[in-house]
Amino acid sequence: MALACAAHARRFLLGGPARSFHAQPYQAKVGVVEFLNGVGKGVEAHAAKLEEAVGGDLQRLLVARTLRLKKLGIPCKHRKLILSFAHKYRLGLWKPQADPRKVE
C-alpha cells in the first residue's frame, strides 16, 4: 500500500509517469532531409526533389498539399506517409529520432 502511494505521489509531484521508458533522443534541428530520414520507408529517396521544391524550408513542406507532391512525381504511398507524418509533427505527436529507422 505504501509503495502504491509513493508511486502516485511521485506522479503528482513530478507531473509525469512514475516509470521512465528509454526514449530515443530527438533531432535538435529538423530540416527537410532530417524529417524525411525520420519518416523512413523509402521516402528519403525524394529528399533532393522536395528540398529544391520547398527551398529547404520545413514549414513549407508541412503545409504542402497532395497535388503539389503529385506534380513533383512522388508516388501515392510516399505522399500519404509524408502528409501523415507532417500532420503528426504539426500536432507535436511525433519528431524525427536521432537514429534513422531501420528498413527491413
Side-chain angles (χ1 to χ4, degrees), residues 69-101:
L69 297 177
K70 186 175 185 178
K71 287 180 182 178
L72 292 173
I74 298 173
C76 180
K77 193 171 199 173
H78 291 172
R79 287 195 309 263
K80 189 174 181 179
L81 284 168
I82 292 169
L83 295 173
S84 172
F85 278 90
H87 181 68
K88 291 176 187 177
Y89 184 81
R90 281 194 312 260
L91 294 177
L93 300 175
W94 177 83
K95 288 183 183 179
Q97 296 180 350
D99 297 326
R101 290 185 171 179

Side-chain angles (χ1 to χ4, degrees), residues 17-82:
R19 295 184 183 159
S20 172
F21 295 101
H22 301 286
Q24 293 289 330
Y26 293 119
Q27 295 275 347
K29 172 96 168 93
V30 179
V32 175
V33 177
E34 291 83 10
F35 180 83
L36 296 175
N37 285 336
V39 172
K41 300 178 184 177
V43 175
E44 60 274 2
H46 309 289
K49 200 182 320 181
L50 279 170
E51 191 161 21
E52 181 183 329
V54 298
D57 185 20
L58 181 63
Q59 293 304 315
R60 288 184 61 194
L61 177 63
L62 295 178
V63 297
R65 304 287 180 159
T66 187
L67 188 59
R68 181 167 181 183
L69 297 177
K70 186 175 185 178
K71 287 180 182 178
L72 292 173
I74 298 173
C76 180
K77 193 171 199 173
H78 291 172
R79 287 195 309 263
K80 189 174 181 179
L81 284 168
I82 292 169

